[in-house]
Amino acid sequence: MGIRTGAQYIEALKSRKPEIWLNGKIVENVLDEPYFKQPAQEIAKLYDMQHDPEYQDDLTVMCEETGERMATSFLMPHNYDDIMKRSKAFEVVARQTFGLMGRTPDFLNTVVTSLAQNSWFLRKYNEDWATNIENYYKHLRDNDIFLTHAIVNPQNDRSKNSHEQADKFTHLGVVEERPEGIIVRGAKMLATLAALTDEVIVYSFPGFAPGDERYALAFAVPVDVKGLKIICREPVQDGTRSTFDHPLASRYEEMDALLVFEDVLVPWDKVFLYNNVEAANLLYPMTGIAEQPAHQSGVRGYIKLKFAVEVACKVADSIGADQYLHVQQDLGELIQNTEVIRSLLRTAEHEYTITEYGEARLNPIVLETIRGMMPDMYPRTIEVMQKIGAGGLLMMPTEADFLSEELRPTIDRHYGGRAGIDAEARMKIFKLAWDLCGEAFGMRALQYERYYTGDPIRKRAIFYNKYKKDNALDLADAILMKEDTVKEPQIN
Ligand SMILES: Cc1cc2nc3c(=O)[nH]c(=O)nc-3n(C[C@H](O)[C@H](O)[C@H](O)COP(=O)(O)OP(=O)(O)OC[C@H]3O[C@@H](n4cnc5c(N)ncnc54)[C@H](O)[C@@H]3O)c2cc1C
């Protein structure tokens, strides 16, 4: 089939009946729910953009194997040109949603592409696992499937491993093997956009210990597979608020969900890893599924940071507050932060290496530096926005107030900004800012930057330990090696 249109994506959504729970009720049809309707349209737009002459050459490439167009995120990178093609595609998608939707289809396309390009690793353990991931990649690519993923165990007791939890099946594990596949039971979080996707892929961060064998697995199933419950978190918007009052929350809500597998059958041909603690612990370091998606996340995060910084600048400018030195200093810092991330991205892309299997990978130290800095830079941007907007972020009339003929002249008099910024223009800017720095939508977007790819504290600690192991501290050693020893005390 090749690339899908938005209409084909929506048709696929309509054709499925996953068990989605929202606010204590089963959702019969996601497209009838105001919470999901607009975000589904935003995803559909991305599929339509693949057919738009303005974006098609960025978002798609010809697949050599099928002779059809495929999403650029399915391109296996072999050289710098491939890296930059993917980079451009990630940026086009990110700009469309201002970086606020982190789990657009390109994210998991990149993960599965990376797994398939590194199927040699799975083949070392089991020929079938490698064949399965290669076939799954083709299935996603050729049908333009939208995937969600669930890799983290629920926070039942973080001081214990999976097999030590009070209930053997709170964490997702294998119950039994059958001729047709494995039966899995338990939960995984935090599957973003699960309700609006076609299929889910499950795998895990490293950290398995002996005894965890039943939990050491990777597989994929459709979201409407029998026995899968999708339990959504509380929505951050009600789906009916006006786009004037909530320009972002009303459009870009990415609903997250807990996935509960109640004896789900996973056919053998969709099992990518099973019952092997060593393979599960090496999946991340050996297959590039940290680095390749980090390229998408880095580009997307850069656009989101840049967007938030521009909103902060607009807030300051709209009320003339950027005439003050400390405001200029704060905004200058934010702009420099975006330049740091942009420069790091270009460095990571430029300093690529080719693995012995022919895969082009960005500089992992630089990518991880981006990942380490964003959980500080993004919240800092939000903090500056809150401080500059101050009380004005709360003192805002609604769209309904604007529509009142009686109230409108008063609003126009009292809510305007500096010369040239009328009340409507100023309120549009402040409402944008409030969605980012005050609303639940914005707080989720902030939490996303901290945690979307793991705990930033442990990630930075792992980074330090690896850096120390791989890099001689030779500059420091150079001076230490010089013969500046303590002199004998001088006795006169
Ligand atoms: C908005 C959002 C969207 C997300 N989307 C997805 C998604 O689509 N798919 C997906 O799979 N995941 C997703 N993630 C989940 C993400 O992978 C996890 O949130 C992340 O890995 C952190 O795990 P946790 O939330 O369970 O925190 P925990 O790991 O439970 O950490 C909680 C606290 O305990 C500390 N801690 C816990 N365990 C240890 C330990 N062993 N050693 C030291 N300190 C420890 C941490 O430092 C932290 O302070 C998303 C997260 C967010 C916030």
Side-chain angles (χ1 to χ4, degrees):
M1 181 173 85
I3 49 172
R4 281 198 292 189
T5 61
Q8 285 169 322
Y9 159 68
I10 296 286
E11 271 316 302
L13 273 186
K14 282 186 190 157
S15 70
R16 277 192 302 276
K17 283 267 167 273
E19 187 184 331
I20 301 168
W21 287 84
L22 179 76
N23 290 330
K25 292 196 189 95
I26 287 196
V27 175
E28 293 300 338
N29 182 348
V30 283
L31 294 166
D32 290 341
E33 281 291 340
Y35 304 106
F36 295 114
K37 208 170 174 170
Q38 192 55 38
Q41 291 303 331
E42 298 301 331
I43 301 286
K45 275 184 211 162
L46 296 175
Y47 282 105
D48 277 338
M49 282 168 72
Q50 300 188 124
H51 300 266
D52 183 335
E54 193 181 340
Y55 303 108
Q56 186 164 68
D57 287 341
D58 291 328
L59 291 180
T60 69
V61 288
M62 293 308 286
C63 173
E64 283 175 16
E65 202 179 330
T66 63
E68 289 182 319
R69 283 193 179 272
M70 64 177 185
T72 308
S73 43
F74 287 121
L75 178 69
M76 292 187 177
H78 289 105
N79 50 44
Y80 183 68
D81 276 358
D82 293 342
I83 287 177
M84 293 317 289
K85 261 188 208 148
R86 281 162 52 112
S87 183
K88 185 71 202 287
F90 299 149
E91 183 168 339
V92 169
V93 170
R95 281 187 182 276
Q96 178 65 20
T97 61
F98 306 97
L100 292 165
M101 294 184 105
R103 303 305 195 198
T104 43
D106 53 342
F107 176 75
L108 278 153
N109 290 355
T110 313
V111 171
V112 176
T113 303
S114 186
L115 284 171
Q117 195 167 6
N118 290 286
S119 58
W120 60 267
F121 166 72
L122 295 172
R123 186 162 283 114
K124 277 178 26 177
Y125 293 92
N126 186 316
E127 184 68 35
D128 289 347
W129 297 349
T131 308
N132 293 348
I133 197 68
E134 287 163 2
N135 288 338
Y136 192 62
Y137 162 75
K138 289 178 192 168
H139 163 68
L140 295 191
R141 180 192 69 189
D142 301 343
N143 297 291
D144 213 1
I145 296 290
F146 184 14
L147 263 190
T148 185
H149 73 322
I151 56 180
V152 179
N153 293 314
Q155 289 172 314
N156 304 109
D157 184 347
R158 281 284 183 257
S159 70
K160 292 188 167 68
N161 264 56
S162 294
H163 74 280
E164 297 164 334
Q165 300 289 319
D167 177 336
K168 202 159 72 175
F169 289 109
T170 47
H171 291 184
L172 181 68
V174 176
V175 182
E176 61 172 292
E177 283 183 30
R178 291 200 188 151
E180 63 273 32
I182 50 174
I183 303 293
V184 297
R185 187 186 300 166
K188 279 271 183 192
M189 68 177 207
L190 189 151
T192 297
L193 280 176
L196 295 179
T197 55
D198 303 301
E199 301 194 9
V200 52
I201 184 166
V202 170
Y203 50 97
S204 297
F205 286 135
F208 294 98
D212 284 332
E213 285 72 16
R214 74 168 75 241
Y215 311 97
L217 76 160
F219 65 84
V221 283
V223 288
D224 58 348
V225 68
K226 191 167 171 290
L228 176 59
K229 278 188 164 56
I230 299 173
I231 306 179
C232 299
R233 62 159 164 74
E234 186 180 2
V236 297
Q237 47 95 25
D238 71 3
T240 61
R241 291 154 116 184
S242 85
T243 49
F244 178 79
D245 287 332
H246 295 282
L248 302 175
S250 58
R251 293 185 171 103
Y252 303 116
E253 153 89 292
E254 273 193 318
M255 176 58 78
D256 308 292
L258 181 77
L259 300 188
V260 182
F261 295 79
E262 294 178 336
D263 290 4
V264 170
L265 170 71
V266 182
W268 284 115
D269 66 350
K270 292 287 158 43
V271 175
F272 312 130
L273 193 159
Y274 165 55
N275 194 25
N276 193 313
V277 163
E278 181 189 286
N281 281 337
L282 289 175
L283 191 71
Y284 261 87
M286 301 307 282
T287 60
I289 57 167
E291 291 93 351
Q292 298 294 10
H295 188 197
Q296 187 271 0
S297 308
V299 174
R300 196 252 343 130
Y302 161 64
I303 296 295
K304 179 169 164 182
L305 184 70
K306 186 167 159 52
F307 171 63
V309 170
E310 287 184 10
V311 174
C313 293
K314 286 269 183 196
V315 167
D317 169 74
S318 71
I319 53 170
D322 63 351
Q323 296 310 301
Y324 297 106
L325 191 61
H326 72 281
V327 174
Q328 292 169 6
Q329 203 255 356
D330 279 351
L331 292 174
E333 173 199 332
L334 300 190
I335 293 166
Q336 285 174 353
N337 284 347
T338 65
E339 284 304 299
V340 167
I341 298 296
R342 190 180 64 79
S343 312
L344 287 173
L345 263 174
R346 295 294 90 92
T347 305
E349 287 162 344
H350 190 72
E351 293 181 356
Y352 69 94
T353 49
I354 306 287
T355 68
E356 62 177 300
Y357 299 94
E359 178 194 9
R361 278 199 200 163
L362 278 64
N363 183 328
I365 294 179
V366 184
L367 277 181
E368 199 52 33
T369 302
I370 297 173
R371 180 62 199 116
M373 297 181 93
M374 285 294 279
D376 294 332
M377 285 179 175
Y378 189 77
R380 171 76 182 133
T381 308
I382 297 306
E383 184 193 22
V384 169
M385 200 183 291
Q386 288 167 343
K387 279 162 60 180
I388 297 174
L393 289 166
L394 301 161
M395 287 298 100
M396 286 192 277
T398 62
E399 181 180 23
D401 294 323
F402 268 95
L403 290 172
S404 158
E405 278 181 30
E406 196 185 335
L407 197 55
R408 183 68 195 249
T410 311
I411 288 178
D412 284 341
R413 183 173 312 119
H414 296 292
Y415 290 92
R418 63 150 172 84
I421 303 282
D422 65 20
E424 190 171 334
R426 190 186 143 222
M427 285 304 106
K428 275 185 88 168
I429 294 168
F430 269 62
K431 281 171 185 286
L432 197 55
W434 188 239
D435 261 5
L436 281 177
C437 75
E439 282 285 320
F441 172 83
M443 294 306 100
R444 186 233 172 236
L446 186 152
Q447 198 71 339
Y448 184 86
E449 283 326 309
R450 286 202 177 109
Y451 288 106
Y452 72 86
T453 187
D455 168 23
I457 300 170
R458 273 171 287 166
K459 282 194 73 103
R460 200 172 257 178
I462 291 166
F463 174 80
Y464 168 71
N465 286 316
K466 188 164 176 351
Y467 189 89
K468 187 178 169 190
K469 191 166 143 274
D470 296 349
N471 293 272
L473 305 179
D474 48 6
L475 276 176
D477 281 342
I479 186 84
L480 291 171
M481 304 280 272
K482 288 195 190 292
E483 288 174 11
D484 294 337
T485 46
V486 179
K487 301 226 171 20
E488 288 294 316
Q490 303 263 325
I491 299 165
N492 294 318

